[in-house]
Amino acid sequence: SFFNSLIFFISLFPLCLTDELILHTIHKQFHQSHGQICFKIKTIQLKYKICYARILDYRTKFLDAAKRYAQLSLETQVLPEARSKLIRNAVICAIIAPAGVQRRRLLATLHKDERSSCLPFYQMLSNTQSGHLITKEQIELFDKELSQHQRAKTPNGMTILDAAFMEHNVLALSNIYKSIKLSTFSEHLGVTKQQAEKVVGKMINEGTVKGTIDQVEELVHFERSVTPWDEHVNIICNKVNTVMDLLLNHEPEFTKTKQKQYGC
């Protein structure tokens, strides 16, 4: 068999290295064909990586698949048409991947990529990356771009696409509301109150979104965590206020004139 032959030749190779004449021949042949060998090895590696990304995609490991598709789309040895297909696959997989920090970062990277703007579903990528609410009509249009395995149903009976955008819209709503009635929440999501409660409860337990569910009052309370960016903005604003106070103390007339001039 092929495997037994492979084992035989691997075992034979160390014996070849004990002969000076064979070593000299190998050394000479290696220098003559080193570039060609490296090119072939690189080509084989790329083919393997593309196949592995497709396997991850097929196994619904969409975030991992999207990362690999995106990396491979930058390889110069891959043909331009194939790179265009890889960036398309990367965007699709990133959009339908489960919500989270890594997905958000990947979406931001793909959104900045100039090649993404040529895709027919670029607007969907923009809305998803910006954290806007996605409508049922937009989801139905995007569904046409998916492969058959990407339309599979999850254990809760929803399609992969519906589940992905359900989580996305929960995150979008958490940035809009501090508290929201379950009835209103379910209307935004386009599902029943029980389904909405189940989805948001799962996301709270997983730490994807911060909040609590008041089952008596049928309310969802969201907690907004302060991001490092927000902290930086607050620090800068405080420093600006400090400078303004110093100017008012030392140069009150000048400062008041400038404040009136710029409407501060």
Side-chain angles (χ1 to χ4, degrees):
S1 68
F2 172 77
F3 182 73
N4 290 333
S5 299
L6 181 64
I7 296 296
F8 172 74
F9 284 114
I10 290 172
S11 303
L12 188 64
F13 189 69
L15 296 174
C16 295
L17 297 180
T18 60
D19 189 289
E20 289 291 331
L21 180 61
I22 293 174
L23 272 172
H24 177 71
T25 306
I26 290 172
H27 178 74
K28 187 177 178 182
Q29 289 294 326
F30 178 79
H31 277 283
Q32 287 176 349
S33 58
H34 176 67
Q36 190 177 3
I37 290 169
C38 287
F39 179 78
K40 285 182 179 178
I41 290 172
K42 180 72 173 174
T43 304
I44 292 167
Q45 285 177 335
L46 286 173
K47 285 180 179 178
Y48 163 77
K49 287 178 180 179
I50 290 170
C51 289
Y52 187 57
R54 286 175 182 165
I55 289 168
L56 288 171
D57 184 351
Y58 189 77
R59 291 178 61 198
T60 68
K61 304 287 185 184
F62 295 120
L63 185 60
D64 292 332
K67 287 177 183 176
R68 291 175 185 274
Y69 280 138
Q71 289 168 357
L72 287 163
S73 73
L74 300 172
E75 292 285 352
T76 52
Q77 283 189 321
V78 178
L79 293 172
E81 294 155 1
R83 290 204 299 271
S84 299
K85 191 173 181 182
L86 286 167
I87 195 69
R88 177 185 179 278
N89 291 345
V91 172
I92 288 175
C93 286
I95 288 174
I96 62 176
V101 176
Q102 290 186 357
R103 174 181 179 260
R104 191 161 59 245
R105 287 173 183 167
L106 183 58
L107 284 169
T109 303
L110 292 169
H111 187 255
K112 290 174 185 174
D113 195 313
E114 292 178 359
R115 297 170 298 171
S116 298
S117 60
C118 302
L119 296 171
F121 43 87
Y122 178 70
Q123 189 58 47
M124 175 64 87
L125 172 62
S126 297
N127 290 345
T128 310
Q129 189 270 330
S130 304
H132 295 164
L133 281 170
I134 306 297
T135 64
K136 200 75 176 174
E137 292 75 20
Q138 289 175 319
I139 294 171
E140 287 170 1
L141 284 171
F142 183 67
D143 182 66
K144 296 174 183 177
E145 303 290 338
L146 303 184
S147 301
Q148 191 60 42
H149 70 276
Q150 293 168 337
R151 294 193 177 99
K153 290 195 173 182
T154 58
N156 61 11
M158 299 172 67
T159 65
I160 290 168
L161 183 62
D162 286 337
F165 280 113
M166 178 83 72
E167 291 188 358
H168 170 85
N169 283 340
V170 168
L171 283 172
L173 288 167
S174 72
N175 292 324
I176 299 169
Y177 295 96
K178 284 186 177 180
S179 299
I180 182 171
K181 275 279 188 184
L182 265 173
S183 55
T184 310
F185 190 64
S186 60
E187 282 175 19
H188 281 301
L189 297 178
V191 295
T192 63
K193 284 198 293 185
Q194 290 77 15
Q195 285 177 314
E197 186 179 348
K198 191 174 180 180
V199 170
V200 74
K202 173 177 170 285
M203 292 179 71
I204 289 170
N205 287 333
E206 291 174 349
T208 311
V209 66
K210 290 186 178 181
T212 55
I213 301 172
D214 186 336
Q215 292 179 319
V216 177
E217 298 291 335
E218 292 192 337
L219 280 168
V220 181
H221 301 285
F222 292 112
E223 298 171 14
R224 295 185 187 178
S225 56
V226 179
T227 63
W229 173 256
D230 292 331
E231 289 176 5
H232 288 314
V233 171
N234 287 333
I235 290 167
I236 291 168
C237 288
N238 289 333
K239 286 184 176 179
V240 170
N241 288 334
T242 304
V243 171
M244 287 296 294
D245 290 339
L246 288 169
L247 284 169
L248 281 167
N249 289 332
H250 292 87
E251 296 289 343
E253 293 299 325
F254 171 80
T255 307
K256 285 175 183 177
T257 304
K258 290 298 177 183
Q259 281 180 322
K260 286 179 183 178
Q261 183 181 342
Y262 293 105
C264 299

